[in-house]
Amino acid sequence: MSVGARAVASFTAARSRAGALPGRDQTLAFLGPEPTGDEAAHFHVREKRKLSGRLREFFVHSPALGRTVGVRVLLPGVPSEVADVVYLFHGGGDDFRSWTDLGDAEALTADSPYLVVMPDAGAASYSHHTFPGADLDWPRFHTEELPAFIDDRYFVNPERDGQILAGLSMGGYAAVKYAAQHPDQYCAAAAFSSPFDTLAAVPLFDIITLREGGPARSLFGDPRRDSGEWLAQSPVALAENLADTDLWFSAGSGDPDPDEEDASADVLEAMVHHHGERLHERLTELRIPHRWHPRATGGHSWATWQRELAAWLDGLPARLMERAGTSGSGGGRGPAAGGGRGPAAGGGNWPADGVGDGAPFSFTTGEPVFSVHGWDVAISRRRAQLVTFAEVTPSGFTLNGAGTFRVSTPPLFPPEGTFRITVDSPLGGNVHDIRADENGRLHITGRMAGALHDPIVPGRRTRHFRTWGQEERTQVRIEPVSVPAPGTPAPVRRAAPAAEARSSPDTTDGADHDGLPVEGTFPVQGTDRIRPDR
């Protein structure tokens, strides 16, 4: 904690050298009480201002945060009919005004074609933080509510190839983390002087947790007991998901720039420089293209971040054009497969046949419920664990880890067609037939390895219970059995008998099924029971 406190003190001093901090005397009292009732359940603008020819300021109520926060928007310096969007995040100790008040973002983007969105992030945890009296879902605000607001208000490109993330310090951590957690939503990410390995920055996250108002370790839990939660929020642990992202990150050494004669070494910049090296090593190990720019000098200061923002923006349009031109059969900005924010079919940075059309992909996450490329996955488990949803195609997929799963596919199959599902897990094999719903989606349930248990008496003899099953692999195969002829009317579905509807999943493996959405019943190992239709 003392190391973290000294780092934050160094950070504050470095920012102060660039000028006054953003106006802390500005409050939201002029807006009156926070909305309540039905009004509080909807995202809406409470106040808007025009600060300059390009700069706009909004105060918006966010249901994800349960409160009003600020957002600044810079209109494109080079106007176009449709603009790509850069979400530019601030660091710890700053706010949504910082990039324009201290970072000279308005001047640095004067020749830019991008709409630049600078949202508030509180203490800059950029994570879902729940503690007594608060439930702050910053990721939902930044990756769901805010994009929907921007798409509705401005003429922007909402597809993946028009959604870009960047930030300084903790804001850069958010940019890379969000890109890894949502590889089907963002095409590029940049980070300036940012931490990437959560377990190597525990004191820093503790400081942020306390500044956000929560008790220590209330963000990701205990680093040893809840290491899975920490890894789920680590860009290094999720690096495999960045394979199709234009990734740019930089950090100074912590030594003063030549023109800073009286400055001392910056301990925080030296720390995040090591984080950059760690991410660079991991991406290199995975053979994932990226741009790592270690600087011989430079501290954790606005002078550094202004320089890095300018350098990144300078080559961004050409890099994105190059990627769009060398990947995908159609290139450009194809419509999203299935609509919404999914990957562009045959466009953007995807393989020639398109992930949205069934090209294989893999995705690593620590979240028990997630959606990626149109696939919805829910895993019931006792302990947090990293799960890789791999080799995903219309013919099947694999999952590692323990517990039970439910997977809903995209609408890739003939409605009302029958498909044979084969689940091979460490607990045994199971084969059963299911029918695609009226939208052409399959809903598959099954069991993985035995549940991860908390040892009753912690120690060497029970240590294996913490990780048993994490590396175990479950394979699911999908094979057509019968497909309705074109024009065949869909059969009328019967309601499940009450006794069947009340039946519970087989739990002989001791897995914890709480929280897993269940339709009908789980197939029992060694039987051909079919999940009842509804």
Side-chain angles (χ1 to χ4, degrees):
M1 287 290 284
S2 63
V3 173
R6 289 198 300 272
V8 171
S10 173
F11 181 20
T12 302
R15 286 202 324 270
S16 298
R17 288 196 293 270
L21 293 174
R24 296 303 176 185
D25 57 339
Q26 300 185 44
T27 70
L28 301 183
F30 68 93
L31 294 173
E34 287 285 358
T36 58
D38 291 341
E39 188 180 12
H42 302 286
F43 185 98
H44 61 277
V45 177
R46 300 188 64 196
E47 178 81 5
K48 57 183 178 181
R49 300 169 176 174
K50 179 178 179 179
L51 303 183
S52 74
R54 293 179 54 217
L55 185 59
R56 306 291 184 266
E57 184 173 80
F58 299 89
F59 294 95
V60 299
H61 177 80
S62 163
L65 304 173
R67 70 188 197 194
T68 300
V69 292
V71 180
R72 279 189 173 178
V73 175
L74 276 169
L75 303 181
V78 180
S80 60
E81 185 175 346
V82 177
D84 292 343
V85 185
V86 172
Y87 293 92
L88 190 58
F89 300 123
H90 67 77
D94 289 323
D95 65 14
F96 67 100
R97 309 176 183 97
S98 300
W99 267 111
T100 47
D101 285 1
L102 302 177
D104 208 20
E106 188 167 3
L108 292 173
T109 59
D111 298 323
S112 166
Y114 305 107
L115 183 87
V116 181
V117 181
M118 297 159 286
D120 197 28
S125 70
Y126 291 99
S127 303
H128 191 174
H129 191 188
T130 301
F131 54 92
D135 183 11
L136 305 174
D137 195 344
W138 291 107
R140 180 182 158 203
F141 169 61
H142 291 139
T143 66
E144 296 180 23
E145 293 180 342
L146 192 59
F149 165 65
I150 295 299
D151 295 351
D152 183 63
R153 191 171 193 92
Y154 297 101
F155 289 103
V156 297
N157 174 17
E159 307 302 337
R160 179 183 185 268
D161 63 340
Q163 301 290 300
I164 303 163
L165 303 168
L168 67 90
S169 194
M170 289 302 297
Y173 157 77
V176 179
K177 182 178 80 166
Y178 288 165
Q181 291 177 334
H182 304 279
D184 53 352
Q185 187 169 337
Y186 303 104
C187 69
F192 319 128
S193 307
S194 302
F196 300 117
D197 187 348
T198 52
L199 285 172
V202 174
L204 183 59
F205 281 94
D206 276 342
I207 293 290
I208 290 171
T209 300
L210 295 172
R211 294 185 69 172
E212 201 155 59
R217 306 296 165 88
S218 62
L219 189 58
F220 307 140
D222 182 87
R224 288 179 294 180
R225 187 181 65 251
D226 305 307
S227 60
E229 296 287 357
W230 287 79
L231 292 174
Q233 305 298 323
S234 170
V236 171
L238 304 179
E240 291 177 89
N241 299 344
L242 297 167
D244 291 306
T245 303
D246 183 86
L247 191 59
W248 196 103
F249 53 104
S250 65
S253 66
D255 294 331
D257 287 326
D259 58 346
E260 296 180 306
E261 297 179 359
D262 298 330
S264 58
D266 192 321
V267 62
L268 184 53
E269 190 70 10
M271 181 190 77
V272 296
H273 189 281
H274 289 300
H275 282 251
E277 289 287 357
R278 177 72 185 92
L279 181 60
H280 166 63
E281 291 170 1
R282 179 59 179 153
L283 292 168
T284 301
E285 177 185 331
L286 295 170
R287 298 184 179 181
I288 293 177
H290 61 281
R291 291 171 175 81
W292 160 230
H293 298 278
R295 308 300 188 188
T297 62
H300 217 66
S301 67
W302 281 106
T304 297
W305 303 323
Q306 290 172 13
R307 177 191 65 204
E308 299 306 309
L309 177 62
W312 171 66
L313 283 173
D314 184 55
L316 181 61
R319 292 197 304 272
L320 295 183
M321 287 289 290
E322 179 182 357
R323 291 175 67 86
T326 57
S327 60
S329 59
R333 296 170 181 166
R341 293 184 168 275
N349 301 327
W350 305 108
D353 47 352
V355 170
D357 290 337
F361 71 89
S362 294
F363 178 69
T364 300
T365 182
E367 301 297 328
V369 179
F370 61 91
S371 297
V372 60
H373 303 313
W375 295 72
D376 298 324
V377 182
I379 297 174
S380 180
R381 61 198 187 176
R382 287 188 182 274
R383 295 181 63 86
Q385 57 183 320
L386 281 182
V387 170
T388 299
F389 183 45
E391 304 170 32
V392 186
T393 71
S395 298
F397 55 86
T398 65
L399 283 163
N400 70 285
T404 56
F405 69 86
R406 175 184 174 83
V407 173
S408 294
T409 73
L412 298 172
F413 305 92
E416 305 299 337
T418 302
F419 294 83
R420 180 147 297 156
I421 308 300
T422 303
V423 180
D424 290 321
S425 80
L427 299 177
N430 178 50
V431 180
H432 60 285
D433 292 350
I434 63 174
R435 186 180 301 163
D437 66 18
E438 60 273 13
N439 297 315
R441 294 167 63 97
L442 298 178
H443 305 284
I444 304 169
T445 57
R447 294 183 296 168
M448 299 151 66
L452 294 171
H453 295 277
D454 291 310
I456 298 174
V457 182
R460 290 183 179 179
R461 297 180 62 183
T462 57
R463 188 173 299 165
H464 66 285
F465 283 119
R466 292 183 179 274
T467 58
W468 190 87
Q470 173 66 69
E471 302 302 325
E472 298 293 339
R473 188 166 173 265
T474 298
Q475 184 172 34
V476 177
R477 293 189 297 275
I478 304 172
E479 302 171 290
V481 175
S482 63
V483 178
T488 302
V492 177
R493 293 197 165 204
R494 65 178 177 84
E500 286 186 358
R502 288 194 301 268
S503 63
S504 60
D506 177 53
T507 57
T508 56
D509 64 340
D512 178 7
H513 298 276
D514 291 343
L516 182 66
V518 177
E519 181 177 358
T521 60
F522 284 98
V524 175
Q525 181 180 341
T527 72
D528 291 326
R529 184 172 65 183
I530 298 176
R531 176 175 52 79
D533 294 329
R534 300 217 229 179

